[in-house]
Amino acid sequence: MQAAVKTTSIPAQTVYRILFAISLGHFLNDSMQAVVPALFPILEKSMNLNYTQIGWIAFALNMTSSVMQPMFGYYADKKPSPFLLPVGMFLSMLGMIGLAFSPNFYFILLSVLFIGFGSAIFHPEGARVAYMAAGAKRGLAQSIYQVGGNTGNAMAPLYTAFIFVSLGQFGAIWFTALAGGAIVVLLYVSTWYKQQLAFGRQSKKTKSAAKATGTLNRSIKLAIVLLVFITFARSWYSAGISNYYQFYLIDHYGLTIKNAQFYIFIFMIAGVLGTFFGGPLADRFGKRNIIFVSMLGSAPLTVLLPHVPLGWVIPLFFVIGFIMSTSFSVTVVYAQELMPGKVGMVSGLIVGFAFGMGAIGAVALGKLADLYSLRFIMILCSMLPILGVLTWLLPSDQKVREWNENT
């Protein structure tokens, strides 16, 4: 079966209770992922880690949580497994327990792998649930789903400031309660998901469509490769900000660990707002246009950021975070429309693999920071959004619709 999502009964109406439930699950899942970078300033001091070791921790998390997603997505397209959602969350719970009690760098890496695998299992199935519950409002549905995850990631600086500065590494144990709550929510979602699979019926038309989408033409393949590369560039910028900018604030501006977190939070919460508004903006102005503007529109500001006084950081951070994130959910929907029969795999490819390339970026940037300076990698990262000019080589929304009509 080439396209399992096509064999399910997608509701004619948008099922908001399921969308909000899977968004909550996404929030709780990514909140636990956010614990890892939130602990970086604490672990740097308590375990005397260098920037390269911090980069390896980020690498372990992102390589498992992100790069493994296309594999799980491919499996989910062929054999949907609703109850993998709570199973993935249980693995993340084990990782949280390990993180709280890890005595050294290597145990931290092992614990992070559990969190990463749990997240890799969750995301493709979560994207499929959002697709199934969307009805005709796929852009809005994907925005609701992605806002949950982005909000969870945005909590990392607050966790550092209000939990880990006072409780230290052991504070991670409290996040097992989040995992327990997430398992309950995902059991509810999985039950609905299973019902949709049970009631699904495959018509001859659907079979034909699934067969047609089994083979991709050269133009679609090139578009996917280009989309992944653009997302890759954005993920490197995000890796530089989320993993290292807090150290830049401390080193360059003399902020405390706690105060630096509020600046990172501004960037991330602006990203949540950008993600939410990106879907409606794409419906009005086109998906490719929003992807283009989100990169090139933020580029002048990212180039300026490393050189401004501290008082300018917050307003610049807010505008950069908002503009750059308007294409977050839009990119996923655009990719799903390029490959409509492979929702799980393509969602894992864009949200997982492409963003997960930030894992490699985290290690590379950490090594460069040790060799040169934090300022050097901030200036290097600031140039990455300029690569967004390549977006104009992507096919227009109209061209993608024509491809779909002809398959």
Side-chain angles (χ1 to χ4, degrees):
M1 192 185 306
Q2 289 288 338
V5 77
K6 291 284 187 179
T7 70
T8 59
S9 177
I10 301 175
Q13 298 297 320
T14 304
V15 187
Y16 286 102
R17 60 184 174 85
I18 296 299
L19 283 177
F20 287 121
I22 196 62
S23 182
L24 176 59
H26 200 183
F27 166 77
L28 295 171
N29 178 86
D30 284 25
S31 288
M32 283 182 286
Q33 275 191 254
V35 167
V36 179
L39 276 171
F40 284 167
I42 309 303
L43 296 175
E44 183 212 13
K45 293 186 178 300
S46 65
M47 294 187 180
N48 196 30
L49 302 183
N50 57 37
Y51 293 128
T52 302
Q53 288 174 309
I54 289 171
W56 277 113
I57 296 172
F59 178 85
L61 176 66
N62 288 324
M63 282 299 288
T64 48
S65 69
S66 300
V67 179
M68 293 293 292
Q69 280 189 43
M71 300 180 189
F72 286 110
Y74 179 78
Y75 173 81
D77 284 334
K78 287 189 170 292
K79 187 177 180 180
S81 304
F83 290 96
L84 277 180
L85 287 167
V87 169
M89 195 61 64
F90 178 72
L91 290 178
S92 294
M93 177 187 285
L94 294 179
M96 279 296 121
I97 295 171
L99 203 58
F101 293 98
S102 293
N104 57 48
F105 170 70
Y106 297 102
F107 276 91
I108 290 288
L109 285 179
L110 180 61
S111 301
V112 162
L113 287 177
F114 275 92
I115 298 170
F117 276 118
S119 186
I121 292 170
F122 169 83
H123 278 97
E125 289 287 12
R128 285 167 52 80
V129 169
Y131 182 92
M132 294 169 67
K137 300 179 180 179
R138 291 181 185 171
L140 175 63
Q142 193 62 223
S143 289
I144 292 172
Y145 171 65
Q146 295 295 353
V147 159
N150 283 13
T151 305
N153 280 317
M155 300 303 289
L158 299 187
Y159 295 155
T160 303
F162 295 112
I163 297 177
F164 298 123
V165 166
S166 57
L167 297 181
Q169 177 185 338
F170 184 71
I173 198 67
W174 291 102
F175 290 86
T176 58
L178 289 184
I183 289 172
V184 173
V185 171
L186 293 178
L187 283 171
Y188 169 74
V189 172
S190 296
T191 301
W192 177 86
Y193 183 0
K194 184 179 180 181
Q195 290 171 349
Q196 297 306 304
L197 295 176
F199 290 124
R201 293 292 182 267
Q202 186 176 36
S203 66
K204 291 182 179 180
K205 181 178 179 180
T206 300
K207 287 181 180 178
S208 176
K211 183 176 180 180
T213 56
T215 302
L216 302 178
N217 65 45
R218 183 172 179 270
S219 297
I220 293 176
K221 289 178 181 177
L222 290 175
I224 288 291
V225 170
L226 183 57
L227 192 64
V228 168
F229 179 77
I230 292 167
T231 312
F232 168 79
R234 186 172 55 191
S235 73
W236 270 57
Y237 183 79
S238 297
I241 295 298
S242 61
N243 292 316
Y244 298 109
Y245 196 79
Q246 56 189 314
F247 298 111
Y248 184 70
L249 287 167
I250 294 167
D251 180 69
H252 187 71
Y253 295 106
L255 297 184
T256 64
I257 291 176
K258 186 173 183 178
N259 288 338
Q261 306 313 309
F262 293 107
Y263 287 78
I264 306 300
F265 177 73
I266 291 295
F267 175 78
M268 291 185 168
I269 204 65
V272 172
L273 294 173
T275 299
F276 181 78
F277 286 104
L281 287 172
D283 289 338
R284 180 174 178 82
F285 299 107
K287 298 177 186 65
R288 187 186 68 169
N289 292 341
I290 292 300
I291 296 171
F292 180 81
V293 171
S294 75
M295 293 291 283
L296 281 192
S298 59
L301 302 181
T302 62
V303 170
L304 187 62
L305 181 65
H307 309 285
V308 298
L310 182 62
W312 281 94
V313 171
I314 285 181
L316 280 179
F317 248 8
F318 185 86
V319 177
I320 292 170
F322 183 90
I323 295 175
M324 190 172 288
S325 294
T326 52
S327 64
F328 192 98
S329 61
V330 174
T331 306
V332 179
V333 176
Y334 182 86
Q336 288 175 345
E337 292 182 357
L338 281 171
M339 300 172 65
K342 301 178 181 179
V343 173
M345 187 185 76
V346 76
S347 298
L349 188 66
I350 297 300
V351 180
F353 179 74
F355 280 93
M357 286 297 97
I360 297 174
V363 176
L365 292 173
K367 186 65 176 178
L368 289 172
D370 285 330
L371 289 175
Y372 299 102
S373 68
L374 287 168
R375 183 173 178 81
F376 173 81
I377 65 168
M378 289 299 107
I379 293 174
L380 178 64
C381 286
S382 73
M383 304 295 177
L384 291 171
I386 297 173
L387 294 173
V389 69
L390 297 175
T391 303
W392 211 246
L393 298 177
L394 289 171
S396 67
D397 293 37
Q398 179 61 36
K399 177 62 70 174
V400 174
R401 284 193 291 270
E402 290 175 2
W403 287 345
N404 289 335
E405 290 170 359
N406 293 330
T407 56

